[in-house]
């Protein structure tokens, strides 16, 4: 596990020696679109890593690739 943390820290340009102060600890999450590590704090695109991934996700919602199902779907009748 320590080796994986070292590799992650190396990838984002931080040195990890196992003894980080509270101010040096940063929450790193995976981008929902591309799965790359993305900082949570001070990231204007969070939880995404960049604007491109944010727009891809927005496009998927807009073209209804994503949907939220309900237990009791309502039937909409067309009004003439």
């Amino acid at each position: 596990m320590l080796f994986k943390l070292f590799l992650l820290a190396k990838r984002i340009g931080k040195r990890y020696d196992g003894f980080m102060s509270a101010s040096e600890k940063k929450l790193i999450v995976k981008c929902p679109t591309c799965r790359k590590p993305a900082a949570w704090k001070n990231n204007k695109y969070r939880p995404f890593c960049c604007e491109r991934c944010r727009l891809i996700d927005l496009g998927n919602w807009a073209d209804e690739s994503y949907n939220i199902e309900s237990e009791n779907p309502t039937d909409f009748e067309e009004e003439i």
Side-chain angles (χ1 to χ4, degrees):
M1 169 121 174
L2 184 61
F3 183 69
K4 287 182 181 181
L5 289 173
F6 171 77
L7 289 177
L8 179 62
K10 186 176 179 182
R11 200 177 302 163
I12 62 172
K14 286 275 186 179
R15 185 174 146 270
Y16 182 78
D17 61 3
F19 301 100
M20 297 174 72
S21 68
S23 64
E24 292 175 329
K25 291 181 182 180
K26 292 187 177 183
L27 180 61
I28 304 294
V29 296
K30 287 185 180 179
C31 174
T33 304
C34 68
R35 311 303 289 165
K36 290 182 185 175
W40 184 259
K41 196 171 186 178
N42 298 327
N43 179 0
K44 68 179 185 178
Y45 304 115
R46 80 175 171 204
F48 306 100
C49 64
C50 62
E51 184 177 18
R52 177 183 173 272
C53 288
R54 184 181 65 85
L55 291 175
I56 289 171
D57 186 71
L58 179 63
N60 286 336
W61 281 104
D63 71 4
E64 297 181 0
S65 295
Y66 301 146
N67 56 38
I68 300 172
E69 296 181 16
S70 69
E71 292 180 15
N72 299 321
T74 57
D75 293 332
F76 293 100
E77 297 179 14
E78 291 185 29
E79 295 181 17
I80 299 177

